Amino acid sequence: MLTDFRYAVRSLLRAPSFAVLLIATLAIGIGPTTTMFSIVDSLLIRDLPYRDADSIITVARSRVPGEAVPVSVPDFIDFRTRNTVFSDMAAATARGDYNISGVDEPLRVLGSAVTPNLFALLGAKPFLGSIKQNEVVLSHGLWHRTFGEKRDIIGRTVRINGSAMRIAAVMPRRFSYPGRAELWIPGPLPEHDRGYHQLRVVGRLKPGVTLAQAEAELARLARQIGDENPSISRGIGVRLATLREALVGDVRRTLLVLFGAVVFLLLIACSNAANLLLTRAAGRQRELAIRGAVGATRGRLARQLLFESLLLSLAGGVTGLLLAYGGVAIVRATSDAYLSRPELLAIDGRVLAFNFAVAVLTGVLFGLAPLTMNLTMRGITRGSTIHSRLRDASVVTVVAFTFLLLVGAGLLIRSFVHARNVDVGIRPDGLVTMRIALPERTYPTTESTTAFCLRLLDRIPQSATVSGLPTANINSGNLRFPGEERVARARRIVTISAVSPGWFGVAGIPLLEGRDFTREDTAPRQVVIISRTMARRYWPSRSPLGEQVLVGSDDRATIVGVVADVRQSGVTYPPTAHVYLPLGMPVPFRATNIVVRSSRPTKEVVEMVQRELRALDPDIPPYLVRTMDEVLDDGVAGRGFLAMILGIFAAIALTLSTIGIYGVIAYGVTQRTRELGIRMAAGATATHVLRLVIGRVVVLASIGIAFGAAGALVLTRWLESLLYQVSPADPWAFAAVAALLLVTAILASARPASRASRVEPAVCLRWE
């Protein structure tokens, strides 16, 4: 083997261009495959950073099948004390915004108030310190960014939302629950009624209890709670899921689609590598035949060729691994709006082992191709039928796999374009958004939060506040009408936004009827503005102005205006019934968005807002600074991420297929030089030769397109749930990809065909 290794190295050093080309081809296939395996392994396969994670179940409420909404505090207490299937249950408030002051620069982070037993239930031990009630627990990332990983911060006092609190612990690097929370405050749960759903609940199953048994038990308790509280909880069920399912969400199908696509890309790379080895082996056929004549067995020659291919594939694997490191870093940095836990992505020992296995497997696969050649002295001129058929099959295979990738990418890109071009209902150009949160300790009442917002807006021209940005922040509540029983409100869910006077003008939302809010529209004067969809749904034959509704409380509010629809839930979802509340309504949206319309650069707008905030309250920093276009882009981030990755794979596949077709045809023309010379000597014209060469390529490409189209009709149905306003069998996409591949095949074969048409018959007849 050592002799084979030395010989392989010398052989490859004699053909450096060939070695570099083949290593690059393999790296292009292995690199993306390793990247996608790292993502799939991190999110779908690898154990979660929690003790015995398979027994941890998330519990949510559900009004309709498939829905999952947070749990109210009273419901959580009932579930915890009355169930018989969980050994323990814990809860965390949905991620909230926390101001941190008492550090170098005030900052805003996502955090959660949690029950003290949450960390023990998850089996997560602090990296530093210990968990204590009513003291702050930091994430490892926040500790690194803000405190420079100083170990003496345990016991240090900082101000959280205006209250002095001690830092008790720092959690390990991979811990984060719920979502991307970076700060936790263990303590008693806030007191709210059953109608206020804010808790994310987890429970650990008792030994021997299954998920189905837990679902049946919690469903029984939900019915009991509904019977005991019919005005609020009747008809509201539960939804249980494993912790992994809750964390991964809808990403599973997307990741599996991408992993399947990258496998096709790897097969295309292997096919091209096999063609390169076939071409090189044909050039070495005399050498191999001589070695066989002097005693080398076919097994010995096969081992030598496989050793060379393995050496090349391992080099391609190492190069692909370097590409994978870059790919994982790019995905980690750009997928924050789509992947729930991008910080979990990493290349570890499992990924390295996968990379090595793929490199060895590909080396064996494409290394077998030269063994089909006819190793005789005369074979160098005549080639072999098997060799020719293999080259033809490689063209068909490459075209078929490329067709699959191009169709998939085309469908997803069209879907993304459709989604991004949807009219959300606002005019996004020139809008800059940022978020602020008002701590309860400093601003304890609705009046105080309203007064602060109005003072801030007075200092900033063309500005407004809104509690929920389109596609980004969604709040909902129950709707009922005066005189109805309270139980009726559970059947009507409406989207709720609290807005300042002038919001509709700043956002470019047309006022269809009635009037905008004024500064006098504060409690006890109760007024609301509704969307066109809500007006048509509940007052289809008359104007809703002057009608009264009850939204989320027993206080009546009068409808004073109707505005155009806004797709608040997402660009791909139809407009919902939407109720706008003025800032003075007794619904305390403590975190709100400042929206400024300006032609100035975003940086200047942010600096202006920061100056005005410091003048009013230096402890309130703006965060989540984005243009409205970026907000809307985040609303289709999942579609954009999928379309971008699959588009990159398809572009690489098209490039590889072009190179592969060119190489196959060029080599085929070289092998057929004598035949073509005889044809021309017998009267064939250059045009006939061009037709002969290009025609064969068109036939092979057409066969590949036919196989690819048949496969695409089956496989693209997996994409149906990921598409928007595009059919998985879209004829335009199929036709465009077929035309593109035919043109690509013709262009790739044009130069070899042209060279074949200029062959001198006399030279060809003296070929041997």
Side-chain angles (χ1 to χ4, degrees):
M1 291 185 67
L2 185 61
T3 301
D4 286 342
F5 175 77
R6 289 197 300 264
Y7 183 83
V9 171
R10 288 199 305 270
S11 176
L12 294 176
L13 288 176
R14 287 196 298 268
S17 299
F18 163 80
V20 170
L21 179 60
L22 196 145
I23 290 171
T25 299
L26 290 175
I28 290 173
I30 295 175
T33 305
T34 304
T35 300
M36 281 308 307
F37 176 79
S38 173
I39 297 172
V40 170
D41 180 58
S42 298
L43 299 180
L44 303 184
I45 302 175
R46 188 186 306 168
D47 290 339
L48 294 171
Y50 309 109
R51 175 175 56 86
D52 194 15
D54 290 339
S55 67
I56 301 175
I57 304 299
T58 63
V59 180
R61 288 297 236 158
S62 176
R63 297 183 182 92
V64 295
E67 181 188 42
V69 297
V71 178
S72 68
V73 173
D75 285 351
F76 165 68
I77 294 173
D78 284 340
F79 287 151
R80 182 174 61 181
T81 56
R82 296 160 64 174
N83 88 87
T84 60
V85 293
F86 292 108
S87 59
D88 194 11
M89 295 185 77
T93 58
R95 292 175 306 165
D97 304 308
Y98 287 81
N99 289 327
I100 303 179
S101 55
V103 293
D104 294 338
E105 286 289 337
L107 68 150
R108 191 71 178 169
V109 299
L110 292 174
S112 180
V114 302
T115 55
N117 65 327
L118 175 71
F119 303 99
L121 185 149
L122 295 175
K125 297 181 179 179
F127 178 75
L128 286 178
S130 59
I131 306 298
K132 296 179 181 179
Q133 191 161 311
N134 296 321
E135 294 190 1
V136 180
V137 179
L138 304 178
S139 72
H140 195 283
L142 181 60
W143 175 56
H144 168 76
R145 292 195 316 273
T146 306
F147 299 96
E149 297 191 3
K150 295 178 181 178
R151 292 177 174 263
D152 60 357
I153 67 161
I154 303 300
R156 176 176 169 179
T157 299
V158 293
R159 298 187 69 81
I160 306 295
N161 286 349
S163 300
M165 303 187 74
R166 293 177 68 254
I167 297 175
V170 176
M171 295 306 293
R173 188 183 303 274
R174 295 186 69 206
F175 181 85
S176 179
Y177 184 87
R180 299 186 181 93
E182 293 189 295
L183 178 148
W184 301 270
I185 302 178
L189 293 172
E191 295 182 4
H192 290 290
D193 64 26
R194 291 188 189 273
Y196 187 65
H197 298 262
Q198 62 164 333
L199 297 182
R200 300 188 184 277
V201 176
V202 291
R204 184 175 289 279
L205 292 174
K206 291 181 178 179
V209 177
T210 65
L211 178 60
Q213 291 172 326
E215 285 180 327
E217 170 79 353
L218 269 292
R220 179 183 63 80
L221 290 177
R223 288 192 296 272
Q224 288 183 2
I225 294 171
D227 293 339
E228 296 165 3
N229 304 273
S231 64
I232 298 178
S233 300
R234 179 169 291 172
I236 303 180
V238 293
R239 181 183 180 188
L240 275 62
T242 62
L243 185 59
R244 183 183 296 279
E245 182 183 349
L247 292 177
V248 173
D250 298 330
V251 176
R252 180 186 299 272
R253 179 181 290 270
T254 297
L255 294 183
L256 293 179
V257 166
L258 289 177
F259 192 74
V262 84
V263 169
F264 289 149
L265 182 62
L266 179 63
L267 292 174
I268 292 172
C270 286
S271 179
N272 276 8
N275 277 324
L276 287 171
L277 279 182
L278 281 171
T279 303
R280 184 167 186 265
R284 299 173 60 194
Q285 198 163 356
R286 185 184 296 275
E287 169 206 337
L288 297 175
I290 292 174
R291 293 182 64 193
V294 297
T297 64
R298 191 170 185 84
R300 180 72 177 79
L301 295 177
R303 192 179 76 182
Q304 175 70 61
L305 293 174
L306 279 175
F307 206 98
E308 289 185 19
S309 65
L310 284 173
L311 189 63
L312 288 167
S313 66
L314 289 174
V318 171
T319 308
L321 184 62
L322 297 177
L323 295 178
Y325 272 105
V328 168
I330 292 172
V331 172
R332 193 187 295 126
T334 59
S335 63
D336 187 70
Y338 180 56
L339 297 181
S340 60
R341 298 292 302 278
E343 71 278 1
L344 295 181
L345 304 184
I347 292 182
D348 57 9
R350 294 159 61 101
V351 179
L352 293 176
F354 174 83
N355 175 267
F356 177 78
V358 170
V360 172
L361 180 62
T362 54
V364 172
L365 284 176
F366 71 76
L368 293 174
L371 303 183
T372 63
M373 297 187 63
N374 181 17
L375 300 179
T376 65
M377 291 292 289
R378 293 180 61 81
I380 189 170
T381 59
R382 296 177 182 173
S384 69
T385 303
I386 295 178
H387 184 198
S388 175
R389 288 176 179 174
L390 277 176
R391 286 188 284 112
D392 291 348
S394 72
V395 173
V396 172
T397 301
V398 165
V399 171
F401 286 149
T402 304
F403 187 95
L404 286 171
L405 288 177
L406 285 173
V407 164
L411 293 174
L412 290 168
I413 290 172
R414 286 194 65 196
S415 178
F416 171 70
V417 170
H418 283 312
R420 186 59 186 87
N421 290 336
V422 168
D423 183 5
V424 177
I426 65 173
R427 188 160 52 88
D429 53 294
L431 289 182
V432 179
T433 74
M434 62 202 77
R435 198 161 172 82
I436 62 170
L438 307 179
E440 186 173 2
R441 183 181 181 86
T442 310
Y443 304 92
T445 65
T446 301
E447 289 75 15
S448 60
T449 59
T450 301
F452 177 86
C453 290
L454 293 177
R455 288 200 306 272
L456 179 63
L457 297 179
D458 286 340
R459 305 169 73 104
I460 304 172
Q462 282 290 292
S463 64
T465 64
V466 58
S467 61
L469 294 173
T471 76
N473 315 113
I474 304 169
N475 298 291
S476 61
N478 298 309
L479 168 72
R480 65 190 179 98
F481 301 107
E484 286 186 322
E485 295 292 334
R486 286 176 60 87
V487 69
R489 72 180 192 171
R491 301 191 185 99
R492 301 193 193 99
I493 306 300
V494 295
T495 303
I496 300 176
S497 297
V499 302
S500 67
W503 156 248
F504 303 109
V506 170
I509 302 172
L511 181 65
L512 305 178
E513 288 186 71
R515 64 174 178 84
D516 195 352
F517 292 128
T518 67
R519 292 187 177 229
E520 287 71 35
D521 290 323
T522 58
R525 184 177 181 183
Q526 306 281 325
V527 295
V528 295
I529 295 174
I530 65 173
S531 66
R532 174 164 43 194
T533 291
M534 182 170 173
R536 290 177 174 175
R537 181 176 301 171
Y538 299 113
W539 298 274
S541 59
R542 67 181 191 275
S543 171
L545 297 183
E547 297 289 343
Q548 292 187 327
V549 294
L550 291 83
V551 183
S553 70
D554 288 329
D555 297 320
R556 299 188 181 191
T558 302
I559 299 172
V560 297
V562 179
V563 295
D565 288 322
V566 175
R567 293 177 182 251
Q568 193 75 17
S569 300
V571 297
T572 60
Y573 296 94
T576 58
H578 199 152
V579 177
Y580 295 92
L581 311 175
L583 282 177
M585 290 287 281
V587 180
F589 292 96
R590 296 197 165 278
T592 192
N593 300 281
I594 304 171
V595 181
V596 182
R597 181 172 293 282
S598 176
S599 59
R600 298 162 62 183
T602 301
K603 183 179 179 181
E604 294 183 12
V605 174
V606 175
E607 289 174 348
M608 174 185 64
V609 175
Q610 287 175 325
R611 285 195 305 270
E612 302 305 334
L613 278 172
R614 280 195 296 267
L616 293 175
D617 190 335
D619 288 335
I620 300 180
Y623 60 104
L624 284 181
V625 177
R626 295 174 294 176
T627 65
M628 186 61 76
D629 281 319
E630 291 171 338
V631 172
L632 299 182
D633 285 340
D634 285 348
V636 291
R639 299 178 186 277
F641 173 79
L642 181 57
M644 177 188 71
I645 299 298
L646 199 57
I648 292 173
F649 291 167
I652 295 173
L654 184 62
T655 303
L656 287 177
S657 65
T658 303
I659 295 172
I661 292 172
Y662 173 83
V664 167
I665 300 306
Y667 177 71
V669 166
T670 301
Q671 293 295 97
R672 297 176 64 189
T673 299
R674 185 169 183 271
E675 171 204 339
L676 296 175
I678 293 174
R679 287 177 179 273
M680 296 188 73
T685 64
T687 302
H688 290 148
V689 173
L690 282 172
R691 288 177 180 173
L692 181 67
V693 175
I694 295 178
R696 182 167 183 78
V697 173
V698 170
V699 170
L700 294 176
S702 299
I703 296 173
I705 289 170
F707 279 116
L713 288 173
V714 176
L715 295 179
T716 53
R717 298 196 178 279
W718 281 76
L719 299 177
E720 189 166 7
S721 65
L722 304 173
L723 301 178
Y724 178 66
Q725 294 184 349
V726 177
S727 167
D730 182 48
W732 292 104
F734 278 64
V737 171
L740 175 63
L741 284 175
L742 279 177
V743 171
T744 299
I746 292 171
L747 293 177
S749 62
R751 185 175 179 183
S754 176
R755 188 168 64 247
S757 68
R758 296 195 299 270
V759 168
E760 290 292 337
V763 174
C764 296
L765 294 175
R766 294 195 301 269
W767 178 258
E768 296 207 40

